[in-house]
Amino acid sequence: MSTHEHPPPPRPRTIGIARSGEFDPAAFEQAVVDLLRACGVAADTSHTGRTAQRVRELWQHRLLGGYDLDPAEVLGDGFEDPRRDMVVVRGIAVHGVCPHHLVPFRGVAHVAYLPGGRLHGFGRIARLVDAIGHRFTYQEWMTRDIAEALMTHGRAAGAACVIEAEQLCLLLGEDRRGDERVITQAFCGEFERSPQSRAEFLRAIEHRRS
């Protein structure tokens, strides 16, 4: 048979940039000490004596804490319900780490889904955003991953996500005004097929973004 009739199986998808090993606290702290020294700053002064520990805790538990969360588990199974009305959660605080410059980006995510027979707690949706966003990732990837997770794990008939964020690597660039924002959008299922559903979602979040 030709390869056109039997295409190779798709590559496994990951959320964000996959880790090949576990987080190493000791190695991370040593790397921070080395970074300070490379910058010409002593790592054992009254100002920097606990910097390595503080930075490690921030990165391990917050900036990269999503690696320890399973999106399917944090979203949960929800509960059975026949309603099909749109559910929108606006203004979920979100952050990720740009793998190009190792600096964070931060902003808000607006998430919606059209139930496909199950409803999910609002806090669970926010937790899903954390599980997907708190990793090495790109804003574009994160936006799509959130929408697809609601389809896959939440059994939604449609899902949408809009993220508006400040990219620190952009804001620190030369000749930047410092007020640039990046907006990314992803639509799945019924939101992708129906202009009316997309329009209703965008209207619901419009004044929040203005």
Side-chain angles (χ1 to χ4, degrees):
M1 292 292 189
S2 69
T3 56
H4 294 288
E5 293 172 324
H6 293 282
R11 295 177 58 188
R13 291 196 72 257
T14 60
I15 299 296
I17 294 179
R19 286 202 305 203
S20 59
E22 296 298 316
F23 189 93
D24 188 332
F28 190 98
E29 290 191 18
Q30 183 59 53
V32 175
V33 169
D34 293 340
L35 176 63
L36 287 170
R37 289 173 177 166
C39 292
V41 176
D44 57 357
T45 71
S46 60
H47 305 290
T48 60
R50 293 188 57 210
T51 296
Q53 176 186 343
R54 292 189 183 104
V55 175
R56 188 266 302 167
E57 291 174 348
L58 176 65
W59 278 73
Q60 181 178 5
H61 300 303
R62 291 297 298 156
L63 292 180
L64 302 182
Y67 282 108
D68 297 321
L69 300 174
D70 180 348
E73 183 176 329
V74 299
L75 182 61
D77 294 329
F79 58 93
E80 188 173 350
D81 193 284
R83 292 167 180 79
R84 296 293 189 267
D85 304 305
M86 185 186 305
V87 178
V88 181
V89 184
R90 298 185 314 191
I92 302 171
V94 66
H95 66 255
V97 179
C98 170
H100 290 167
H101 298 90
L102 302 186
V103 293
F105 57 91
R106 63 177 294 274
V108 292
H110 311 296
V111 180
Y113 75 99
L114 293 168
R118 305 196 72 79
L119 293 179
H120 300 274
F122 306 134
R124 290 276 189 169
I125 295 174
R127 190 71 167 149
L128 174 70
V129 171
D130 289 346
I132 291 173
H134 296 181
R135 303 169 184 245
F136 286 112
T137 189
Y138 302 101
Q139 182 178 334
E140 299 94 326
W141 288 11
M142 183 194 305
T143 309
R144 170 61 55 178
D145 287 340
I146 291 169
E148 290 186 349
L150 282 166
M151 297 290 293
T152 302
H153 307 307
R155 307 180 197 176
C161 181
V162 171
I163 294 178
E164 180 175 355
E166 299 174 315
Q167 298 278 341
L168 190 55
C169 56
L170 173 64
L171 300 183
L172 293 176
E174 294 183 2
D175 301 322
R176 298 299 181 189
R177 298 178 305 171
D179 59 355
E180 293 88 351
R181 302 292 186 275
V182 177
I183 298 175
T184 49
Q185 303 178 353
F187 303 102
C188 296
E190 187 62 26
F191 281 105
E192 187 173 22
R193 294 186 293 267
S194 169
Q196 179 179 347
S197 294
R198 289 197 302 274
E200 289 177 2
F201 166 62
L202 294 173
R203 279 198 301 270
I205 67 171
E206 184 175 7
H207 74 273
R208 176 76 185 193
R209 290 167 48 198
S210 61

